Amino acid sequence: MRASVIQIAVDEGESVESRRRRAASLVRDQAGADLVVLPELWTTGAFAYDAFGTEAEPLEGPTYEAMAKAASDAGVWLHAGSIPERDPDGPLYNTSLVFSPSGDLAAAYRKIHRFGFDKGEAVLMGAGGELVTVRLPTTTLGLATCYDLRFPELFRGLVDAGAETLVVSAGWPERRRSHWTLLARARAVENQSFVLACATAGAHAGVPQSGHSIVVDPWGEVLAEAGADEEVLTVEFDPGKVATTREQFPALKDRILGLQPPRRP
Ligand SMILES: NC(=O)CCC(=O)C(=O)O
């Protein structure tokens, strides 16, 4: 399986429309890949909170249209990263879109864990409530977005639902880059799954972005890691390695569910 992880730069100097055109062109350039991945909120920037409201789109808005066409032009499965979605009957959501090679929407995932504690995304957007997996011909994707990476129970839920390749679309800050790579490897090892983690480059809203998109195999080995700048990371991997790892080192079978909290004396 060949995957292309597009670590696009999200800088304030470029308009949303220009970045949308550029992203579509980068996706088209990946014809021949099986799966292409874009990062979180790459139209606005994950930390450009002021732009969430002004740039929010309906699910089937301009980014959806551009990405559906790019997926079918390239003939690839496309995880198009996430958009600020305006739900006509509700709040904004941070919603990831996955398209099939014919350009049909295969899945939409509304980010469950919103970042910012008592400000930013955490107050501007609603929380998704459903885990999402997507069946591809050779693997099943489990979807997660950025801050979700810190919550191992979400990934365990995806594995229980059949995920073998965990895709994390992110806009992660440079300041916490060491957490990003560490957590991506941890999620791969503990879930005996591939992790494809796609971050943004550039800087917006005064927040330099981490870059360092990373692809990790089910044994925790780093198959590829980007630098800090815009880059397309291309990697070939054998999805069958998930089954062999889980057979040869069957730690997932030793889970003990329903552990009780300690009894108070
Ligand atoms: N966009 C995000 O979810 C940022 C997450 C982050 O900065 C962190 O977990 O650290």
Side-chain angles (χ1 to χ4, degrees):
M1 172 151 185
R2 178 156 23 129
S4 295
V5 174
I6 300 180
Q7 177 173 289
I8 195 165
V10 181
D11 290 305
E12 270 151 1
E14 183 179 25
S15 70
V16 167
E17 190 41 47
S18 155
R19 195 156 41 250
R20 196 181 283 124
R21 271 198 306 273
R22 224 158 50 70
S25 162
L26 284 164
V27 171
R28 277 190 204 96
D29 290 346
Q30 309 313 313
D34 299 294
L35 172 65
V36 177
V37 184
L38 278 161
E40 179 189 31
L41 296 177
W42 54 267
T43 55
T44 54
F47 290 88
Y49 302 138
D50 291 346
F52 289 176
T54 52
E55 297 295 342
E57 316 174 22
L59 190 77
E60 298 189 14
T63 303
Y64 179 110
E65 294 295 332
M67 293 298 111
K69 182 160 185 337
S72 72
D73 287 349
V76 297
W77 285 90
L78 173 63
H79 183 309
S82 70
I83 58 164
E85 179 204 352
R86 185 180 298 287
D87 179 340
D89 305 318
L92 303 183
Y93 291 99
N94 184 341
T95 305
S96 292
L97 305 172
V98 180
F99 296 95
S100 74
S102 50
D104 296 318
L105 185 70
Y109 165 64
R110 286 174 167 170
K111 183 177 182 181
I112 292 176
H113 301 95
R114 296 156 301 162
F115 182 68
F117 309 112
D118 54 359
K119 55 183 178 7
E121 182 188 20
V123 294
L124 295 170
M125 289 189 171
E130 276 177 36
L131 297 178
V132 175
T133 60
V134 190
R135 184 69 204 146
L136 268 54
T138 55
T139 188
T140 297
L141 308 182
L143 308 189
T145 307
C146 205
Y147 188 46
D148 282 337
L149 186 59
R150 295 187 181 272
F151 300 88
E153 61 278 14
L154 180 146
F155 291 82
R156 203 35 78 79
L158 290 169
V159 167
D160 285 344
E164 297 173 334
T165 300
L166 303 165
V167 182
V168 186
S169 175
W172 198 274
E174 179 187 48
R175 182 168 145 60
R176 294 185 287 279
R177 180 185 290 152
S178 62
H179 296 191
W180 165 250
T181 47
L182 176 69
L183 290 168
R185 290 190 69 193
R187 298 295 88 88
V189 172
E190 74 197 357
N191 295 299
Q192 304 188 304
S193 300
F194 286 96
V195 169
L196 269 58
C198 179
T200 45
H204 55 268
V207 184
Q209 296 295 287
S210 152
H212 285 258
S213 296
I214 188 167
V215 178
V216 190
D217 81 2
W219 195 247
E221 300 296 332
V222 176
L223 301 184
E225 182 173 342
D229 299 329
E230 181 163 307
E231 178 175 340
V232 178
L233 203 58
T234 302
V235 66
E236 303 250 3
F237 62 91
D238 172 12
K241 188 157 184 194
V242 172
T244 49
T245 305
R246 291 179 186 178
E247 272 160 35
Q248 288 166 8
F249 194 86
L252 284 173
K253 287 196 183 138
D254 281 340
R255 290 166 65 192
I256 297 171
L257 303 175
L259 289 173
Q260 298 301 308
R263 267 193 300 237
R264 301 220 173 272

